[in-house]
């Protein structure tokens, strides 16, 4: 369904240098994103990954529907805002709320934090192909999905527990 992005092989030394230069302009590296997310939940295959200077989007398989204790899971908006103010990585598990509704609630309660979440989520769409963007939008509107935000690097993560997928979204905010 979603294939990992492949890159052409360079047959000329200058082409190889150009590819290396382009890779250096990426906001994130796949291995670093996998390491960050792998500390939060077990990851399976990379289904999609794209990183440019202004955005990163990743889609990973997972068998988990839980998070390890490196992520603070909250069940109220106030607890989530308090944790974010302490720069904690927060998973919003608000009963019946979709990640989209959670981001709107955060924005209403604390505009700067809400804008950080919104900017990461919107910016990353520029790094998604059509299939990934469609799956991402579906997850944003699923009450079974969790919104996770890491304020230290403005990473927005959506854990779609129904589809067993993890979306990583980050912009250069």
């Amino acid at each position: 369904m979603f294939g990992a992005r492949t890159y052409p092989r360079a047959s000329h030394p200058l082409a190889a240098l150009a590819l290396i230069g382009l890779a250096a302009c990426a906001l994130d590296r796949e291995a670093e994103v996998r390491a960050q997310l792998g500390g939060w939940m077990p990851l399976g295959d990379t289904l999609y990954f794209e990183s440019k200077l202004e955005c990163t989007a990743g889609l990973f398989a997972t068998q988990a529907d839980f998070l390890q204790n490196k992520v603070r899971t909250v069940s109220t908006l106030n607890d989530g805002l308090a944790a974010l103010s302490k720069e904690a990585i927060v998973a919003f598990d608000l009963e019946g709320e979709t990640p989209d509704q959670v981001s709107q609630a955060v924005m209403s309660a604390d505009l700067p934090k809400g804008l950080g979440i919104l900017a990461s989520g919107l910016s990353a769409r520029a790094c998604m192909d059509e299939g990934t963007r469609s799956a991402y939008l579906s997850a944003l509107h699923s009450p079974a999905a969790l919104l996770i935000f890491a304020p230290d690097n403005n990473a927005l993560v959506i854990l779609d527990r129904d589809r067993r997928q993890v979306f990583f979204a980050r912009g250069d905010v």
Side-chain angles (χ1 to χ4, degrees), residues 2 57 61 71 91 111 136 141 147 152 156 173:
F2 299 106
V71 178
L111 187 59
Y136 174 69
H141 294 99
L147 181 148
D152 62 333
L156 172 66
V173 290

Side-chain angles (χ1 to χ4, degrees), residues 30 34 41-47 59-64 164 166:
E30 181 181 346
R34 287 186 65 83
M41 71 200 81
L43 292 181
D45 293 336
T46 299
L47 305 173
L59 173 58
F60 307 91
T62 185
Q63 291 304 311
R164 305 288 188 185
V166 180

Side-chain angles (χ1 to χ4, degrees), residues 20-127:
I20 291 170
L22 287 174
C25 293
L27 187 59
D28 296 290
R29 297 183 196 287
E30 181 181 346
E32 293 166 354
V33 170
R34 287 186 65 83
Q36 179 181 4
L37 296 177
W40 304 353
M41 71 200 81
L43 292 181
D45 293 336
T46 299
L47 305 173
Y48 179 86
F49 189 84
E50 174 80 29
S51 188
K52 302 177 191 175
L53 187 57
E54 68 278 1
C55 61
T56 299
L59 173 58
F60 307 91
T62 185
Q63 291 304 311
D65 63 356
F66 63 91
L67 298 166
Q68 297 171 4
N69 57 4
K70 291 183 181 182
V71 178
R72 171 117 190 259
T73 302
V74 299
S75 59
T76 70
L77 181 63
N78 287 338
D79 287 348
L81 293 172
L84 286 176
S85 69
K86 295 175 184 168
E87 296 296 307
I89 301 163
V90 179
F92 289 87
D93 193 4
L94 309 184
E95 176 110 16
E97 299 288 316
T98 69
D100 184 56
Q101 291 168 324
V102 169
S103 68
Q104 290 176 32
V106 170
M107 188 171 310
S108 293
D110 187 322
L111 187 59
K113 287 180 181 68
L115 286 175
I117 292 171
L118 181 67
S120 291
L122 289 175
S123 297
R125 291 178 54 192
C127 279

